Amino acid sequence: MSAERERDPAAATGGEGDRAALEQRAVNTIRFLAADAVEQAKSGHPGLPMGMADVAFVLWTRFLRYQPQDPAWPDRDRFVLSAGHGSMLLYAMLHLSGYDLPMDELMRFRQLGSKTPGHPEHGLTPGVETTTGPLGQGFGNGVGMALAAKMIAARVGDGFAPASFRVFGIVSDGDLMEGVASEAASLAGHWGLGNLVYVYDDNHITIEGDTALAFGEDVAMRFAAYGWHVEHANPYDREALAAAITRAVDEAARPSLVIVRSHIAYGAPKKQDTAGAHGEPLGAEELAAAKRALGWPPSPSFLVPPEVRELFAARALALRPGYDAWRSGIEAWRARAPEDHARWQSLIEKRVPADVLEQLVARAPQGAAATRAHGQAVLQVAAALAPSLAGGSADLEPSTKTWIKESPAIARGQFGGRNFHFGIREHGMGAILNGLALAEGFIPYGSSFLVFTDYARPAIRLSALMRQQVIWVFTHDSVFLGEDGPTHEPIEHLTTLRAIPNLLVVRPADGVETAGAWGVALERREGPTLIVLTRQSLPALDRSATFEPSWLRRGGYVLRETPARGAVTLIATGSEVALALDAARRLEAGGLATRVVSMPAPQRFFEQEAAWREAVLPPGGFRVSIEAGATLYWRHVVGERGLAIGIDRFGESAPLAQIQEHFGFTPDRVAARVREWAGR
C-alpha cells in the first residue's frame, strides 16, 4: 500500500519554501506544547517529544489514517507510542489532530483526574490505542494489532476489506532493550507482518547516561536477522524520512523498522543529548533558551498558531473521503455479502451467547480427570459458541491442552486459523494477546504453567489495567507436580495473582467448575480472567439436586451442608475441594459437624451481596481454608479464629503421593489437623 494513498495537505498551501516553513512551525508547535506541559506540571519527560516531533508530524500528516470524530473506526490505522514516557508527544498530536482532548487537558498534564496522565492510558484518552509505559509492552501490543488485521482479512472480505488497517509506532532504546520486545519482534518477523512499521528513536540516552554504558549491539542487524525490513533516515529531513517510511509501508512481506538518530530535547542548548532531559523538566531558563534557539516566541505558553491548526484541520478533511467511502462500502458489502458481513460483525462485537455459561455446563465433561483435560473438552465447545476465541501456548500445548481442534495454526501468509505457536515466549505472548484484544475482533487466550506467570505478569497486569478481555489459562497449579520439584511448583502465585486489581482468578475443582470458569471468562468483558488447572486427575464432585449452574458465577457456593449449628466450614479451591469432602466425612464420623464450600473464585465471591456471602459463610462461624499454596490470602477469609491450611515454603521433588503425605494434604492429615485446632 503506497504512501501516495493520502496526499500531504501542506503541499497545497503554497510553494516549497512556504510549505517547509509551515511544517517547521507545526513541528515546533508539537515540540513546545510538550515542553510547556512538562514545565507547568514540574514533572515529565520533555526530551523524547522534543526530539521526535518531526517524526510524529510526518507519520500523522502523511501516513496515518484516522478520524477524530470516530476514534473507534474499525479501519483506522493504529499508532502506538511504545515509549510511553514521552506521552506529551501523543497528547499534542491528538489535540492538534482534532480529537476530544482540549487545551485545558494539556495544561492539566499529570494532574489528578486529567485525560493526560503521565503515561498514556487506553480507555481514558480518546485516540490512545494502548496503555504504555512499561517498556517493550507497547511494542508487543502493536504486533498483536497488526496480527489482528491479518486475521480479520483472512476471515471476511468479498471485494471489500473492513479492517485493512496498518500499525505505526515509535519505539525507544529502552523498548528494544527489554526482552519482551525481542520476543514479539521475533514472532512478527516469523509471521511476516508487513502491515507493521515502527520508527526507532535511537537517541543514545537512558536515565543513567549514554546507551553505550550497556547497549552496544547493531540493532539493524538484529532486526534483519528477525526477518524485518530495516531503513535508516534523518529524522529532521522530513522528505527523506517520508521516503524511508514509504519504502517501509510498501514492504508487504515483512515488518519494518525505520531507525532514526534523534537528539533528545532537540533545540535545548544545555540539555540536548543529555540524560538530564529524559525524565525532568527543562527548567524555565533552559526552556526559554530552547525557544529562542528555534525561533519560537517565548510566550504565551501552549502556543498554537492559527495556520498550524488549519494544517491539521486540512489533514482531517483530506482523510474524510476515505472514511466516508469505507462507510458506504460497508453498507454495499452488507447487501452484497450478508454472511461475510455478519461474520465480521460477530467478530468485532466479540459475541457470545447470553447463556454461554449454562450451555458449557450442560455439556461439561463428567468423570475423573485432570482439570486441564476437562479444559480441553470445554474449549472445543467454547470455540464453537464464540467465533472470536483464538489462542495458543508458550510451547506447552501438549501439556496445557489448549488447541482448538479442526482449526489450523497461524503461520506466515496463513492467518485464517485460531491457534498460535508462540514458542517459549511468555513475555511476548502476553503482550501480543493484549494487542489482539485491543484491536477488536478477538477474545484471545494464552497458556503456560502457573509458575511461569512470573514471565507473563507484566502483560497480565496491563490487561487488567486496560480492562481487556484476555483469557489466561495456566496449568500445573501446585506442589502436586511432584517430581518436577520446587522450580516448577507454584507456591505464592495464586496469592500474588489475586492481588492484581481487576484480574479474576478461577481455580476449578472438576469438569463442571471448569466449564463454569470458561463461561465466566467469556461473559466477562470488563477485564481478564485467569483459569488455573491441574495436571493430576481429580474426581467428579457430588452436588445436591438443588445445585444451579448460575452459582458458578458467584465465585463460591455450598457443596456439602449440614443442619447442625456451629459446624466448621471447610473452604477449598481446585484440587483441594475433593480433599475437603473426604476430610469432612472423617470429621463427621468423629462427631464434628462440618460444611464444605467450594470457592473457585474468591474475588468474585466477595463481590456478592451480603445475603449470599452470609449463607455460604455464616458470620461468626468457624472456618478452615484448604489450598496447596501460600496461606496469606486466606487469613482474611478465615479470620483470626480460623485455620489456614496451605504451604508457606517451597516444594519438593518426589512422587505425588509422597508430596501429599509430606505436606499434609491427605484426608486423614487434614482431618487430624482440623480436630486438633477445633479442640483448642
Side-chain angles (χ1 to χ4, degrees):
M1 187 181 299
S2 172
E4 295 300 312
R5 178 174 178 171
E6 303 294 349
R7 301 299 299 176
D8 176 13
T13 63
E16 288 298 317
D18 291 342
R19 172 174 176 256
L22 175 58
E23 286 191 352
Q24 192 59 51
R25 285 195 294 276
V27 167
N28 283 336
T29 300
I30 298 164
R31 187 168 280 131
F32 289 114
L33 280 176
D36 284 339
V38 171
E39 192 65 33
Q40 179 157 299
K42 303 302 179 188
S43 172
H45 299 72
L48 183 149
M50 294 178 71
M52 293 292 283
D54 295 78
V55 172
F57 174 81
V58 169
L59 283 174
W60 284 69
T61 61
R62 304 198 192 187
F63 295 93
L64 207 65
R65 293 179 294 136
Y66 60 88
Q67 188 51 234
Q69 280 69 48
D70 187 4
W73 175 32
D75 201 30
R76 70 193 183 279
D77 287 335
R78 271 58 165 181
F79 175 78
V80 175
L81 183 65
S82 188
H85 55 275
S87 58
M88 265 308 307
L89 177 63
L90 177 54
Y91 300 148
M93 297 311 303
L94 292 171
H95 170 76
L96 293 170
S97 299
Y99 286 79
D100 184 17
L101 192 66
M103 182 65 78
D104 285 350
E105 293 292 347
L106 270 61
M107 298 174 75
R108 297 178 61 227
F109 177 56
R110 289 190 163 219
Q111 304 308 299
L112 183 65
S114 77
K115 292 185 178 180
T116 50
H119 294 82
E121 295 181 26
H122 174 75
L124 175 67
T125 311
V128 171
E129 299 288 356
T130 180
T131 297
T132 56
L135 291 172
Q137 291 290 330
F139 187 112
N141 295 164
V143 173
M145 294 173 186
L147 180 60
K150 295 285 189 181
M151 291 174 65
I152 291 172
R155 285 158 171 73
V156 297
D158 178 21
F160 179 78
S164 61
F165 62 84
R166 305 161 300 180
V167 180
F168 296 92
I170 291 176
V171 303
S172 66
D173 291 307
D175 287 299
L176 299 194
M177 289 187 208
E178 290 286 1
V180 61
S182 298
E183 294 183 12
S186 180
L187 283 165
H190 182 72
W191 288 325
L193 299 180
N195 56 341
L196 176 65
V197 177
Y198 282 152
V199 181
Y200 165 35
D201 173 23
D202 182 22
N203 64 34
H204 287 210
I205 295 294
T206 62
I207 291 175
E208 293 185 354
D210 194 292
T211 53
L213 292 170
F215 192 56
E217 67 195 44
D218 189 323
V219 169
M221 290 185 67
R222 171 156 70 100
F223 273 76
Y226 286 147
W228 287 54
H229 169 74
V230 179
E231 293 278 345
H232 292 82
N234 178 353
Y236 308 112
D237 181 342
R238 290 185 290 275
E239 297 308 313
L241 175 63
I245 296 174
T246 297
R247 290 191 293 272
V249 168
D250 289 342
E251 172 54 64
R254 294 177 291 172
S256 293
L257 187 74
V258 180
I259 301 175
V260 300
R261 172 66 170 94
S262 65
H263 296 282
I264 193 169
Y266 181 85
K270 296 180 180 178
K271 291 196 173 181
Q272 177 176 310
D273 294 330
T274 69
H278 174 81
E280 59 189 44
L282 295 178
E285 183 178 335
E286 182 73 357
L287 177 55
K291 290 181 177 180
R292 286 194 300 271
L294 295 178
W296 195 251
S299 64
S301 298
F302 298 96
L303 172 63
V304 181
E307 64 272 23
V308 171
R309 288 209 181 276
E310 290 171 7
L311 185 156
F312 281 97
R315 172 61 174 169
L317 189 63
L319 289 170
R320 183 72 195 207
Y323 172 73
D324 291 339
W326 182 88
R327 293 184 64 183
S328 60
I330 279 285
E331 294 307 314
W333 182 48
R334 186 206 304 265
R336 183 180 69 252
E339 291 185 1
D340 260 8
H341 180 273
R343 187 180 305 113
W344 173 72
Q345 198 71 32
S346 177
L347 284 173
I348 64 167
E349 293 177 6
K350 303 183 183 182
R351 291 178 188 167
V352 298
D355 63 345
V356 64
L357 184 146
E358 283 75 13
Q359 289 198 50
L360 290 174
V361 172
R363 298 170 64 181
Q366 305 297 317
T371 51
R372 64 170 176 167
H374 291 317
Q376 183 180 47
V378 173
L379 174 59
Q380 310 315 311
V381 182
L385 295 174
S388 294
L389 193 62
S393 80
D395 193 53
L396 288 170
E397 189 281 323
S399 291
T400 61
K401 301 187 182 301
T402 45
W403 189 268
I404 296 176
K405 298 177 182 178
E406 310 302 327
S407 180
I410 298 297
R412 178 186 290 266
Q414 300 173 13
F415 297 103
R418 301 173 70 177
N419 296 291
F420 301 105
H421 292 293
F422 288 109
I424 307 164
R425 300 185 182 96
E426 281 88 356
H427 277 305
M429 175 181 73
I432 290 169
L433 292 177
N434 284 343
L436 279 165
L438 288 159
E440 302 165 351
F442 299 96
I443 303 173
Y445 68 85
S447 68
S448 184
F449 293 170
L450 183 59
V451 75
F452 298 137
T453 54
D454 290 339
Y455 289 146
R457 190 179 303 269
I460 294 173
R461 183 178 188 271
L462 283 170
S463 66
L465 178 60
M466 292 189 287
R467 307 183 72 82
Q468 292 301 300
Q469 188 181 18
V470 180
I471 301 174
W472 306 96
V473 183
F474 288 93
T475 66
H476 296 57
D477 66 338
S478 73
V479 295
F480 300 145
L481 296 186
E483 293 89 344
D484 282 342
T487 61
H488 281 54
E489 294 168 353
I491 297 296
E492 75 281 12
H493 296 73
L494 290 168
T495 291
T496 57
L497 290 165
R498 289 172 181 141
I500 298 176
N502 197 40
L503 172 67
L504 180 62
V505 179
V506 188
R507 187 174 184 237
D510 68 351
V512 169
E513 288 193 0
T514 302
W518 271 99
V520 167
L522 289 170
E523 290 177 340
R524 189 170 186 261
R525 298 296 186 98
E526 69 275 14
T529 302
L530 193 149
I531 302 173
V532 184
L533 304 174
T534 69
R535 183 182 71 173
Q536 76 274 19
S537 182
L538 304 179
L541 301 178
D542 292 327
R543 293 178 175 83
S544 70
T546 61
F547 170 77
E548 297 180 12
S550 62
W551 292 1
L552 299 173
R553 291 189 178 93
R554 293 181 172 270
Y557 61 99
V558 178
L559 190 61
R560 183 180 190 272
E561 189 60 277
T562 178
R565 295 174 60 84
V568 173
T569 299
L570 305 183
I571 310 160
T573 75
S575 55
E576 288 71 74
V577 175
L579 171 62
L581 285 170
D582 286 343
R585 296 184 187 101
R586 285 161 172 76
L587 291 167
E588 287 281 1
L592 183 61
T594 311
R595 307 167 69 246
V596 176
V597 167
S598 179
M599 196 171 284
Q603 300 153 290
R604 175 65 67 87
F605 173 77
F606 287 105
E607 295 172 353
Q608 303 306 305
E609 70 276 11
W612 182 267
R613 297 197 313 270
E614 292 174 3
V616 175
L617 298 180
F622 294 97
R623 302 175 186 175
V624 176
S625 65
I626 310 172
E627 186 172 74
T631 60
L632 180 63
Y633 180 86
W634 293 101
R635 297 192 186 282
H636 85 282
V637 178
V638 299
E640 292 183 2
R641 298 187 302 166
L643 172 64
I645 298 177
I647 301 173
D648 290 311
R649 49 153 290 188
F650 292 119
E652 298 283 352
S653 179
L656 172 60
Q658 292 180 24
I659 289 286
Q660 290 170 323
E661 181 65 32
H662 179 74
F663 286 105
F665 282 86
T666 66
D668 287 336
R669 294 283 297 279
V670 169
R673 191 167 176 191
V674 172
R675 274 195 297 268
E676 179 186 3
W677 164 78
R680 286 203 297 263

